Amino acid sequence: MIGLLVRLGGLLIAIFTAVMIGLHARPYDDGGLRDLLLPPGCDAPCFLGIRPGVTGLDDALAILDSEHAAHARMEFELQYRRARLPLYRLIHWSGYLLYPLQRRGRMEMNHDPALPDVPIDTIYVRVDPGLTLGDVYLSLGRPADLSAGYWYHDLGTQVSLILHHNYAGGAVEVVTRHLCGLRASEFWKTPVLSVRYSALSLSDLQPISLEAATGPYACRRRRQ
């Protein structure tokens, strides 16, 4: 009986801690954030009217140019293909937006409108430097599932857990990077690296539960 009470007390403390962390996250208008990330009336994946797999590069660039004044803090990375060559373009880039598990490709520096228009397949969005994972969960709720990969950096001396929090059947993925060894109490304060809208799936990621991702052995799951 005593053991049960101890476990129950621990559970209540954990729930209380999670709620308090969420309440102390950067205050966002939940409805506004939800409508921005999962816009009503536009089937996912869709952001600012840009639909990966449908919207052409020229139209996507025009939309981002027209929306820049209203979303000046946002950064974008468009990914597309010409002659099967993966290409990408950074828009309003300050140097922060980085996707550690990005597939191979090269950046096109200059846009040539004379080239045939091609549809984009993926858009990464850095919504706001202050947006945290707690903000997203408070607004969108818990995702249907999570997937994970690992990024080796600093000459291989550091390992980060890259999490994709999957919404809309995986068409919209909130991406976060967690340095291995991060305390669970800091998990919800993690900045959102980017939000991925894509017509393509990332098949090299592994499914992971939220409990495992926040647990002490998350980084031991990495492939050797």
Side-chain angles (χ1 to χ4, degrees):
M1 183 65 179
I2 294 177
L4 177 61
L5 291 175
V6 171
R7 289 195 297 271
L8 180 59
L11 177 61
L12 291 175
I13 291 173
I15 294 173
F16 177 78
T17 301
V19 171
M20 291 303 295
I21 290 174
L23 290 176
H24 283 85
R26 178 184 172 91
Y28 274 85
D29 172 52
D30 291 352
L33 183 59
R34 167 175 280 278
D35 288 348
L36 177 67
L37 299 183
L38 297 173
C42 189
D43 294 337
C46 178
F47 187 78
L48 297 180
I50 299 173
R51 298 188 61 199
V54 176
T55 305
L57 175 61
D58 291 345
D59 288 340
L61 291 172
I63 291 172
L64 294 181
D65 186 59
S66 67
E67 293 284 350
H68 176 55
H71 303 287
R73 292 170 66 87
M74 292 189 189
E75 300 176 31
F76 307 90
E77 179 181 305
L78 298 175
Q79 295 184 0
Y80 51 99
R81 293 175 185 270
R82 292 194 190 276
R84 298 185 179 180
L85 177 66
L87 303 169
Y88 62 94
R89 185 183 304 273
L90 301 172
I91 312 294
H92 311 315
W93 187 59
S94 71
Y96 178 88
L97 185 63
L98 171 67
Y99 180 56
L101 303 181
Q102 180 175 293
R103 296 177 182 274
R104 297 176 62 183
R106 68 177 178 82
M107 182 167 58
E108 268 194 332
M109 299 298 294
N110 300 307
H111 179 57
D112 185 352
L115 291 173
D117 196 20
V118 294
I120 67 165
D121 55 51
T122 302
I123 178 172
Y124 289 98
V125 183
R126 184 200 183 199
V127 176
D128 187 300
L131 184 66
T132 69
L133 186 57
D135 296 323
V136 171
Y137 272 56
L138 283 173
S139 180
L140 305 188
R142 181 168 174 165
D145 56 82
L146 286 80
S147 50
Y150 295 91
W151 183 41
Y152 298 82
H153 50 104
D154 294 341
L155 300 178
T157 61
Q158 294 284 350
V159 181
S160 287
L161 176 67
I162 308 299
L163 291 179
H164 281 232
H165 310 259
N166 302 319
Y167 294 89
V172 179
E173 300 172 311
V174 176
V175 185
T176 52
R177 177 170 71 90
H178 308 264
L179 187 65
C180 287
L182 178 72
R183 293 180 300 175
S185 61
E186 299 294 315
F187 184 80
W188 302 108
K189 300 177 184 178
T190 303
V192 171
L193 190 65
S194 61
V195 183
R196 178 180 184 267
Y197 297 81
S198 185
L200 306 176
S201 62
L202 287 172
S203 59
D204 52 347
L205 298 180
Q206 300 176 334
I208 188 172
S209 68
L210 180 60
E211 290 73 21
T214 57
Y217 305 111
C219 287
R220 296 188 184 181
R221 293 166 52 90
R222 65 181 183 270
R223 288 178 291 185
Q224 302 297 324

